[in-house]
Amino acid sequence: MQITLFSLLMSVIWSSVLAAFNYCCRKKNFFIRQLGMTNLLSLYLFSIVRMLVPYTFSFTRVIPSQGVINDFYKSACMDKIGVTQFSLISVLSVIWMGVSTALILKFLFQYRKAVAEVSSCPICEDEQCRRVFHRVLNQSRTELRIAIRRSGNIHVPMGVGIFKKSILLPRQAYSDSELYYILRHEYTHFQNRDLMIKLFMHIYWCIFWWNPVIWFLKRDLSQILEIKCDLDVTERMKNQDKAGYLTAIVKILKQTGAKRQEKAFCGSTALVAGNYESEVIERFRIVSAVDGRKRKNALFTGTWFLIFGILVFLSYSFVIQPECEISRSRIAAGQETPEAAAGNPYRIKCIDGMYHVYFHK
């Protein structure tokens, strides 16, 4: 079991394919009804795990390749550039590590700053807030210690904090029903541990920032968490109550209005993402169409997870490598002599413990 440049490239390809496939399924109401948002969220983990485990195993078959892949391997790994005589892949690796470290440090700094700013906000102690939050606690399956705070620097309610949990409200008046829906929504996020998922996904993005699929995966994961939270909140609601919940979201969206460029606190869950009205419309459509009281299809769910599991297993069954790299590996393992490798488009000789690659002309 080992990690190579080619096993890493295969993991990028396969994780991207799995993420894109799951995204296409999530966009269909049929899969939401049959699987549920929790299972669809879990299926995204297949693509994340595939990226985090870029190994080749004993059963992995190495498929030799020539042409473009060989040329790329030679240019990136064997040719030296600059006065330092580093290979291109070494330079790219240093850039990858440097940018990832910078992004993680920036994230930790922003998150610490956000938590400190939230802690400085006054706790909401008015009678309406206590009464409505007590109603939320009575209807929740678990009781969590969460502080309700007010801030004049935000325009959208949000939840912040992993250890010191807070629900942050704008400084504006709400009716009892509106406040109930807001608090119930953010409280459900904490119950589902959605902030931990978002923090993990952000760190995952900081590490694999160079993969464009991770960008859309990070954004779609946030949307899935919002839809899942909406469905949990409205699971046992009647249509009239659902309409009231959706109306509260519309009102907050209108109040945000021209302030849509406002940035949420780092690692928070906001009731409405003002920049993406299309995503709010999708939440409305799903909440209106899905009956949360209807049981999910267990057979279909099990079959779908089995299909994804098989795809992940098959993704480890082979890896594509240049012919010259295969020959060099066999020589290092004593399975092939340099002369035997001469049948390849490259010829490898060992001189003073260093392998040199020669091209046939």
Side-chain angles (χ1 to χ4, degrees), residues 12-29:
V12 171
I13 295 172
W14 274 103
S15 64
S16 301
V17 170
L18 291 172
F21 181 54
N22 194 61
Y23 176 80
C24 293
C25 295
R26 188 193 74 73
K27 286 296 184 177
K28 305 294 182 182
N29 282 343

PDB file of all heavy atoms in Angstrom, residues 12-29:
ATOM      1  N   VAL A  12      -8.049  12.083  -7.632  1.00  0.00           N
ATOM      2  CA  VAL A  12      -8.666  13.352  -8.048  1.00  0.00           C
ATOM      3  C   VAL A  12      -9.752  13.086  -9.081  1.00  0.00           C
ATOM      4  O   VAL A  12     -10.871  13.617  -8.993  1.00  0.00           O
ATOM      5  CB  VAL A  12      -7.597  14.303  -8.619  1.00  0.00           C
ATOM      6  CG1 VAL A  12      -8.257  15.529  -9.247  1.00  0.00           C
ATOM      7  CG2 VAL A  12      -6.627  14.738  -7.536  1.00  0.00           C
ATOM      8  N   ILE A  13      -9.439  12.248 -10.062  1.00  0.00           N
ATOM      9  CA  ILE A  13     -10.403  11.945 -11.132  1.00  0.00           C
ATOM     10  C   ILE A  13     -11.624  11.237 -10.570  1.00  0.00           C
ATOM     11  O   ILE A  13     -12.774  11.624 -10.830  1.00  0.00           O
ATOM     12  CB  ILE A  13      -9.734  11.097 -12.225  1.00  0.00           C
ATOM     13  CG1 ILE A  13      -8.634  11.900 -12.926  1.00  0.00           C
ATOM     14  CG2 ILE A  13     -10.768  10.622 -13.245  1.00  0.00           C
ATOM     15  CD1 ILE A  13      -7.786  11.094 -13.874  1.00  0.00           C
ATOM     16  N   TRP A  14     -11.387  10.187  -9.769  1.00  0.00           N
ATOM     17  CA  TRP A  14     -12.510   9.394  -9.259  1.00  0.00           C
ATOM     18  C   TRP A  14     -13.365  10.173  -8.268  1.00  0.00           C
ATOM     19  O   TRP A  14     -14.602  10.078  -8.295  1.00  0.00           O
ATOM     20  CB  TRP A  14     -11.996   8.109  -8.629  1.00  0.00           C
ATOM     21  CG  TRP A  14     -11.806   6.995  -9.607  1.00  0.00           C
ATOM     22  CD1 TRP A  14     -10.640   6.537 -10.133  1.00  0.00           C
ATOM     23  CD2 TRP A  14     -12.847   6.203 -10.202  1.00  0.00           C
ATOM     24  NE1 TRP A  14     -10.877   5.506 -11.008  1.00  0.00           N
ATOM     25  CE2 TRP A  14     -12.226   5.279 -11.074  1.00  0.00           C
ATOM     26  CE3 TRP A  14     -14.233   6.186 -10.080  1.00  0.00           C
ATOM     27  CZ2 TRP A  14     -12.944   4.354 -11.820  1.00  0.00           C
ATOM     28  CZ3 TRP A  14     -14.947   5.254 -10.831  1.00  0.00           C
ATOM     29  CH2 TRP A  14     -14.314   4.354 -11.684  1.00  0.00           C
ATOM     30  N   SER A  15     -12.751  10.925  -7.371  1.00  0.00           N
ATOM     31  CA  SER A  15     -13.538  11.701  -6.411  1.00  0.00           C
ATOM     32  C   SER A  15     -14.368  12.763  -7.129  1.00  0.00           C
ATOM     33  O   SER A  15     -15.505  13.036  -6.740  1.00  0.00           O
ATOM     34  CB  SER A  15     -12.623  12.359  -5.379  1.00  0.00           C
ATOM     35  OG  SER A  15     -11.764  13.300  -5.996  1.00  0.00           O
ATOM     36  N   SER A  16     -13.816  13.336  -8.197  1.00  0.00           N
ATOM     37  CA  SER A  16     -14.561  14.323  -8.983  1.00  0.00           C
ATOM     38  C   SER A  16     -15.742  13.680  -9.691  1.00  0.00           C
ATOM     39  O   SER A  16     -16.845  14.245  -9.727  1.00  0.00           O
ATOM     40  CB  SER A  16     -13.625  14.986 -10.004  1.00  0.00           C
ATOM     41  OG  SER A  16     -12.542  15.628  -9.374  1.00  0.00           O
ATOM     42  N   VAL A  17     -15.528  12.485 -10.241  1.00  0.00           N
ATOM     43  CA  VAL A  17     -16.619  11.771 -10.922  1.00  0.00           C
ATOM     44  C   VAL A  17     -17.722  11.406  -9.937  1.00  0.00           C
ATOM     45  O   VAL A  17     -18.916  11.599 -10.205  1.00  0.00           O
ATOM     46  CB  VAL A  17     -16.069  10.510 -11.615  1.00  0.00           C
ATOM     47  CG1 VAL A  17     -17.216   9.631 -12.105  1.00  0.00           C
ATOM     48  CG2 VAL A  17     -15.171  10.889 -12.785  1.00  0.00           C
ATOM     49  N   LEU A  18     -17.355  10.885  -8.763  1.00  0.00           N
ATOM     50  CA  LEU A  18     -18.351  10.510  -7.751  1.00  0.00           C
ATOM     51  C   LEU A  18     -19.124  11.724  -7.258  1.00  0.00           C
ATOM     52  O   LEU A  18     -20.348  11.661  -7.062  1.00  0.00           O
ATOM     53  CB  LEU A  18     -17.661   9.806  -6.581  1.00  0.00           C
ATOM     54  CG  LEU A  18     -17.087   8.413  -6.865  1.00  0.00           C
ATOM     55  CD1 LEU A  18     -16.260   7.935  -5.679  1.00  0.00           C
ATOM     56  CD2 LEU A  18     -18.190   7.412  -7.164  1.00  0.00           C
ATOM     57  N   ALA A  19     -18.423  12.848  -7.042  1.00  0.00           N
ATOM     58  CA  ALA A  19     -19.096  14.069  -6.577  1.00  0.00           C
ATOM     59  C   ALA A  19     -20.064  14.592  -7.628  1.00  0.00           C
ATOM     60  O   ALA A  19     -21.194  14.990  -7.310  1.00  0.00           O
ATOM     61  CB  ALA A  19     -18.057  15.131  -6.222  1.00  0.00           C
ATOM     62  N   ALA A  20     -19.642  14.589  -8.897  1.00  0.00           N
ATOM     63  CA  ALA A  20     -20.513  15.066  -9.976  1.00  0.00           C
ATOM     64  C   ALA A  20     -21.726  14.161 -10.134  1.00  0.00           C
ATOM     65  O   ALA A  20     -22.850  14.633 -10.355  1.00  0.00           O
ATOM     66  CB  ALA A  20     -19.723  15.132 -11.283  1.00  0.00           C
ATOM     67  N   PHE A  21     -21.518  12.852 -10.014  1.00  0.00           N
ATOM     68  CA  PHE A  21     -22.619  11.893 -10.131  1.00  0.00           C
ATOM     69  C   PHE A  21     -23.638  12.092  -9.010  1.00  0.00           C
ATOM     70  O   PHE A  21     -24.852  12.116  -9.230  1.00  0.00           O
ATOM     71  CB  PHE A  21     -22.057  10.472 -10.104  1.00  0.00           C
ATOM     72  CG  PHE A  21     -23.093   9.396 -10.252  1.00  0.00           C
ATOM     73  CD1 PHE A  21     -23.963   9.397 -11.326  1.00  0.00           C
ATOM     74  CD2 PHE A  21     -23.196   8.372  -9.325  1.00  0.00           C
ATOM     75  CE1 PHE A  21     -24.921   8.407 -11.478  1.00  0.00           C
ATOM     76  CE2 PHE A  21     -24.153   7.380  -9.455  1.00  0.00           C
ATOM     77  CZ  PHE A  21     -25.014   7.393 -10.542  1.00  0.00           C
ATOM     78  N   ASN A  22     -23.137  12.278  -7.783  1.00  0.00           N
ATOM     79  CA  ASN A  22     -24.032  12.484  -6.645  1.00  0.00           C
ATOM     80  C   ASN A  22     -24.766  13.817  -6.762  1.00  0.00           C
ATOM     81  O   ASN A  22     -25.938  13.931  -6.382  1.00  0.00           O
ATOM     82  CB  ASN A  22     -23.233  12.433  -5.347  1.00  0.00           C
ATOM     83  CG  ASN A  22     -24.120  12.293  -4.130  1.00  0.00           C
ATOM     84  OD1 ASN A  22     -24.857  11.320  -3.990  1.00  0.00           O
ATOM     85  ND2 ASN A  22     -24.082  13.272  -3.250  1.00  0.00           N
ATOM     86  N   TYR A  23     -24.096  14.831  -7.313  1.00  0.00           N
ATOM     87  CA  TYR A  23     -24.733  16.136  -7.504  1.00  0.00           C
ATOM     88  C   TYR A  23     -25.904  16.028  -8.470  1.00  0.00           C
ATOM     89  O   TYR A  23     -26.973  16.607  -8.236  1.00  0.00           O
ATOM     90  CB  TYR A  23     -23.701  17.133  -8.016  1.00  0.00           C
ATOM     91  CG  TYR A  23     -24.268  18.497  -8.346  1.00  0.00           C
ATOM     92  CD1 TYR A  23     -24.524  19.424  -7.342  1.00  0.00           C
ATOM     93  CD2 TYR A  23     -24.551  18.850  -9.665  1.00  0.00           C
ATOM     94  CE1 TYR A  23     -25.041  20.671  -7.637  1.00  0.00           C
ATOM     95  CE2 TYR A  23     -25.065  20.100  -9.974  1.00  0.00           C
ATOM     96  CZ  TYR A  23     -25.311  21.005  -8.958  1.00  0.00           C
ATOM     97  OH  TYR A  23     -25.843  22.237  -9.251  1.00  0.00           O
ATOM     98  N   CYS A  24     -25.708  15.290  -9.559  1.00  0.00           N
ATOM     99  CA  CYS A  24     -26.786  15.102 -10.541  1.00  0.00           C
ATOM    100  C   CYS A  24     -27.966  14.375  -9.915  1.00  0.00           C
ATOM    101  O   CYS A  24     -29.132  14.701 -10.196  1.00  0.00           O
ATOM    102  CB  CYS A  24     -26.272  14.323 -11.750  1.00  0.00           C
ATOM    103  SG  CYS A  24     -25.046  15.215 -12.741  1.00  0.00           S
ATOM    104  N   CYS A  25     -27.690  13.401  -9.043  1.00  0.00           N
ATOM    105  CA  CYS A  25     -28.766  12.675  -8.362  1.00  0.00           C
ATOM    106  C   CYS A  25     -29.507  13.586  -7.386  1.00  0.00           C
ATOM    107  O   CYS A  25     -30.741  13.537  -7.287  1.00  0.00           O
ATOM    108  CB  CYS A  25     -28.203  11.466  -7.614  1.00  0.00           C
ATOM    109  SG  CYS A  25     -27.494  10.192  -8.687  1.00  0.00           S
ATOM    110  N   ARG A  26     -28.763  14.430  -6.673  1.00  0.00           N
ATOM    111  CA  ARG A  26     -29.378  15.299  -5.680  1.00  0.00           C
ATOM    112  C   ARG A  26     -30.344  16.293  -6.306  1.00  0.00           C
ATOM    113  O   ARG A  26     -31.312  16.740  -5.661  1.00  0.00           O
ATOM    114  CB  ARG A  26     -28.294  16.056  -4.905  1.00  0.00           C
ATOM    115  CG  ARG A  26     -28.851  16.842  -3.729  1.00  0.00           C
ATOM    116  CD  ARG A  26     -27.853  17.805  -3.172  1.00  0.00           C
ATOM    117  NE  ARG A  26     -27.629  18.984  -3.993  1.00  0.00           N
ATOM    118  CZ  ARG A  26     -28.491  19.987  -4.134  1.00  0.00           C
ATOM    119  NH1 ARG A  26     -29.674  19.929  -3.571  1.00  0.00           N
ATOM    120  NH2 ARG A  26     -28.190  21.036  -4.874  1.00  0.00           N
ATOM    121  N   LYS A  27     -30.103  16.660  -7.548  1.00  0.00           N
ATOM    122  CA  LYS A  27     -30.957  17.633  -8.214  1.00  0.00           C
ATOM    123  C   LYS A  27     -32.301  17.048  -8.644  1.00  0.00           C
ATOM    124  O   LYS A  27     -33.161  17.784  -9.131  1.00  0.00           O
ATOM    125  CB  LYS A  27     -30.233  18.191  -9.447  1.00  0.00           C
ATOM    126  CG  LYS A  27     -29.105  19.165  -9.110  1.00  0.00           C
ATOM    127  CD  LYS A  27     -29.640  20.410  -8.429  1.00  0.00           C
ATOM    128  CE  LYS A  27     -28.562  21.440  -8.179  1.00  0.00           C
ATOM    129  NZ  LYS A  27     -29.109  22.682  -7.585  1.00  0.00           N
ATOM    130  N   LYS A  28     -32.475  15.744  -8.465  1.00  0.00           N
ATOM    131  CA  LYS A  28     -33.727  15.095  -8.844  1.00  0.00           C
ATOM    132  C   LYS A  28     -34.591  14.860  -7.608  1.00  0.00           C
ATOM    133  O   LYS A  28     -34.134  14.291  -6.616  1.00  0.00           O
ATOM    134  CB  LYS A  28     -33.455  13.757  -9.538  1.00  0.00           C
ATOM    135  CG  LYS A  28     -32.521  13.853 -10.749  1.00  0.00           C
ATOM    136  CD  LYS A  28     -33.146  14.653 -11.879  1.00  0.00           C
ATOM    137  CE  LYS A  28     -32.228  14.692 -13.096  1.00  0.00           C
ATOM    138  NZ  LYS A  28     -32.797  15.506 -14.206  1.00  0.00           N
ATOM    139  N   ASN A  29     -35.867  15.294  -7.680  1.00  0.00           N
ATOM    140  CA  ASN A  29     -36.773  15.087  -6.547  1.00  0.00           C
ATOM    141  C   ASN A  29     -36.973  13.611  -6.234  1.00  0.00           C
ATOM    142  O   ASN A  29     -37.225  13.229  -5.087  1.00  0.00           O
ATOM    143  CB  ASN A  29     -38.128  15.737  -6.836  1.00  0.00           C
ATOM    144  CG  ASN A  29     -38.098  17.244  -6.625  1.00  0.00           C
ATOM    145  OD1 ASN A  29     -37.196  17.773  -5.986  1.00  0.00           O
ATOM    146  ND2 ASN A  29     -39.076  17.928  -7.179  1.00  0.00           N
TER     147      ASN A  29
END
